[in-house]
Amino acid sequence: MINSTFRMFWRLTTCTIVLFLVCSCGIAIAQNGKYDLRLIQESVDCGTRKITFVAQIKASNLDSAFILGTSNLPFTVSPGTLTNPVLSSIDNYSGGRYGLLTLVAQGSVLTLNVLYNGSAPFDDTVNVTTSWSDIAHLTFDIPVGTDGCYTATWNGPGAFPSARVSQVVIEGPVATEVPAISGTLGDAAGCAFAASLPTATITGDTVVNSGQQATLKVSFDGSPPTSISVAGVVYNNLSVSPLNINVFPDQTTTYTIDSVSNACGRGTVSGSATVTIAAVPPADTIATLDVAADTVCLGSDIQVAFTTNAFFNSANAFKVQLSDANGSNFTDISSTGTATPGPLNATIPANLPGGAGYRVRVVSTGPGITGTASAPFVIADAPTATLSGNATITSGDSANLTVNFTGRGPWKIQLSDGSEFTTSVNPFTIPVFPTQTTTYSLTALEDACIEGLGSGTATVTVLPDGEPCTTLCVPVTVAIIKK
C-alpha cells in the first residue's frame, strides 16, 4: 500500500509539473530545496521501559531553505528492539495549511506522512530553515529481557521505500510541489538504558580507635530510585546523593561498593575507603572547661562545658561534681544534659559557705570517666549589712547613718522607716531628718546574688528647739551679724 501511494503521488506530481510548465508559458520554477533529517533519542523511562525519539528536519544550507510540501519520511528500526510505536506528539507540519500528520507502520519500516493542503492565496513562508525543526515525537516500548540497544535508519535514496520530500514553489497565484534534494540523514543508534545507568563512588579514608564510628560517603547518580550494596548491606530506594554510611570496625578495613543498580540495570562502581585503626588507642578522657564567670552566686545556674575523646554507650549519663572551698572533696550537684561535648547545666547549692577555691568537674557513667577539674572560681557568700550612727540633734537638723556591706554590689537595702536605697558604695551614708527621737534598723538586704541579713541599729535623739545639748550633738555654726 505504501509503495502504491508513493507511485501515485509522484505520478500526480510529475503531471502537475508538466501542466504548470505548459500553462506558465515556459516560466522556470526554482528547485533548490535541500534537506537534512535526523532522529534523536530524547528520553527513556527505565521503570516503564519506554523510549522517546524526536524526528527533525532542516535545510542543508541558507540557499536551500524551502516550504515543506507533501512528504513521506520512512525509516527502519532494527527488528525486535523497539515495539509499539506511537506518535507521542505532533510538533509541526500538521494543521492549518497541512492535513493531520500520520505515522504508518509496515513491519520494521515506519513512515511519517506530511500532507500539504495549501490553497490560494499562497502566502506561505519558508518553514524548513537552517535550524532544526521538530516534526514529531515517537515513543516505543523496549521489550522485557532486551538490553534496549537499537538502530533507527532513515530510508534514503536507493532504499525501499525511500524518503520522498517535496517543496512548495510559489510563483504569483500558483503553487507547485516539486521534489527536494536529500542531504545528510542522521540515523539513531545506541543503547536506551546506557545514559541512565547509575554510577557510584565511595570515599572516606580515616583513622579511628577500635570500635569507634567512621563515616563512609557514597556519591551516586543515574535515574532514581537507586540500590547500593556496601559490605553486604543493601540500601534501597535511594534518591538523594550522597549516601552516608556509619561503620564501627575493630580492625583496619577497606570498604568498596558491591554493586549499584536502578530500574535501567546494573551500573558501575569505583573508589574505596580505608578505615585505619590507631595502633595505640588513647586513654578515654574528659577535660572540664573553666566556668565562664569568675564569681557565681549561691543557688544560681551555671553551664559546664567539656571536651572528650571517649565513645559513650547509650546508657551513659554525665554528672557535674563540685568541690569544697579548698578545691577538693568533690560531690555530685544537680545537673542536666546529655550532649557531647556539652555544655551541661548545673545548679550551685544555696547552703554553701562562700569561698574562692571552688572547682567543678564532669564525670561519666558509661564508661566511667572522671574528668579534670576546672580552674578555681568564687562562690559568693550571702551579703551582710551593719547599720550604725547614733546621734543627738536639734529638731529640724539632720543626722547621717552609715551602712557597711559584705558581698557583691550593688546592694539594695530598706530602712525601718520604709525608705529604700540601691548603691555600689561601701560604706554607704544615709542622711535622715527625724522630727522625733527615732531608732533605725535594716529590714531588708540583697546584693547582686541573693538576699542577706542586716544588723545593727542607730538611734537619733531629737531635742526640742532651744534645749541645750548635754550629749554629743551635731555641730552648729552660728554667725552674729552686727547691725
Side-chain angles (χ1 to χ4, degrees):
M1 178 182 292
I2 293 176
N3 190 36
S4 299
T5 303
F6 289 160
R7 292 194 184 100
M8 181 177 294
F9 164 68
W10 286 108
R11 286 172 186 164
L12 289 172
T13 301
T14 303
C15 294
T16 302
I17 294 170
V18 173
L19 288 172
F20 182 78
L21 287 172
V22 173
C23 296
S24 301
C25 302
I27 297 175
I29 299 175
Q31 300 186 40
N32 61 346
K34 185 177 181 180
Y35 63 90
D36 298 336
L37 294 172
R38 71 178 181 183
L39 280 170
I40 298 176
Q41 176 185 326
E42 189 168 85
S43 64
V44 63
D45 187 326
C46 300
T48 60
R49 298 183 68 85
K50 290 185 180 294
I51 184 171
T52 298
F53 295 87
V54 59
Q56 298 176 323
I57 188 172
K58 76 175 183 68
S60 298
N61 50 63
L62 286 173
D63 295 333
S64 61
F66 61 95
I67 301 169
L68 184 64
T70 299
S71 303
N72 309 107
L73 308 172
F75 61 94
T76 302
V77 176
S78 49
T81 59
L82 304 175
T83 60
N84 301 323
V86 295
L87 281 174
S88 47
S89 72
I90 298 173
D91 304 313
N92 289 293
Y93 315 113
S94 184
R97 305 287 282 180
Y98 294 87
L100 180 64
L101 187 147
T102 60
L103 173 67
V104 176
Q106 188 175 26
S108 59
V109 178
L110 305 174
T111 304
L112 290 168
N113 298 303
V114 177
L115 178 61
Y116 178 72
N117 279 339
S119 59
F122 293 100
D123 54 0
D124 304 64
T125 58
V126 171
N127 56 14
V128 179
T129 67
T130 53
S131 296
W132 287 107
S133 177
D134 293 352
I135 301 171
H137 283 71
L138 304 94
T139 300
F140 297 81
D141 290 338
I142 302 171
V144 175
T146 66
D147 57 9
C149 295
Y150 61 85
T151 59
T153 308
W154 289 107
N155 289 21
F160 179 81
S162 60
R164 300 182 185 274
V165 177
S166 69
Q167 61 174 322
V168 177
V169 178
I170 300 173
E171 293 202 14
V174 180
T176 304
E177 294 186 56
V178 299
I181 302 170
S182 175
T184 302
L185 304 180
D187 302 327
C191 292
F193 300 140
S196 298
L197 287 174
T199 64
T201 302
I202 188 170
T203 57
D205 290 351
T206 189
V207 178
V208 298
N209 297 323
S210 178
Q212 283 190 320
Q213 174 181 302
T215 300
L216 314 178
K217 183 171 75 172
V218 180
S219 302
F220 60 93
D221 59 15
S223 298
T226 302
S227 294
I228 296 175
S229 174
V230 176
V233 180
V234 179
Y235 304 87
N236 290 316
N237 298 317
L238 303 175
S239 59
V240 178
S241 176
L243 165 67
N244 292 320
I245 301 174
N246 295 326
V247 294
F248 303 86
D250 55 11
Q251 59 184 358
T252 297
T253 305
T254 297
Y255 296 87
T256 58
I257 302 173
D258 304 327
S259 64
V260 59
S261 61
N262 61 9
C264 295
R266 190 182 180 106
T268 57
V269 301
S270 61
S272 64
T274 299
V275 180
T276 303
I277 303 302
V280 180
D284 291 338
T285 61
I286 296 175
T288 307
L289 304 184
D290 295 344
V291 175
D294 57 2
T295 301
V296 298
C297 303
L298 291 171
S300 64
D301 293 331
I302 61 172
Q303 287 192 327
V304 181
F306 63 96
T307 61
T308 182
N309 65 346
F311 174 74
F312 301 96
N313 60 44
S314 58
N316 175 66
F318 292 109
K319 297 180 180 180
V320 175
Q321 294 184 334
L322 177 67
S323 72
D324 59 22
N326 298 317
S328 56
N329 301 317
F330 286 86
T331 56
D332 293 348
I333 61 175
S334 175
S335 61
T336 60
T338 59
T340 304
L344 306 176
N345 296 312
T347 301
I348 300 297
N351 58 350
L352 295 176
Y358 285 97
R359 299 172 184 264
V360 289
R361 70 186 182 189
V362 175
V363 299
S364 63
T365 60
I369 304 171
T370 299
T372 59
S374 70
F377 60 92
V378 175
I379 294 180
D381 208 342
T384 64
T386 303
L387 178 66
S388 61
N390 292 337
T392 300
I393 62 173
T394 301
S395 177
D397 291 334
S398 65
N400 289 329
L401 310 181
T402 300
V403 182
N404 289 276
F405 298 104
T406 65
R408 302 176 64 196
W411 295 271
K412 182 177 180 180
I413 59 173
Q414 184 181 59
L415 290 179
S416 54
D417 65 359
S419 57
E420 294 183 348
F421 304 90
T422 300
T423 182
S424 296
V425 177
N426 186 21
F428 179 54
T429 300
I430 305 173
V432 292
F433 302 85
T435 58
Q436 59 184 3
T437 298
T438 304
T439 298
Y440 295 90
S441 63
L442 295 171
T443 57
L445 165 66
E446 62 181 74
D447 67 359
C449 280
I450 59 174
E451 295 180 351
L453 297 174
S455 63
T457 60
T459 300
V460 179
T461 303
V462 180
L463 300 177
D465 188 22
E467 182 176 329
C469 285
T470 57
T471 60
L472 178 64
C473 298
V474 176
V476 176
T477 301
V478 178
I480 301 175
I481 302 174
K482 184 177 182 181
K483 294 183 177 180

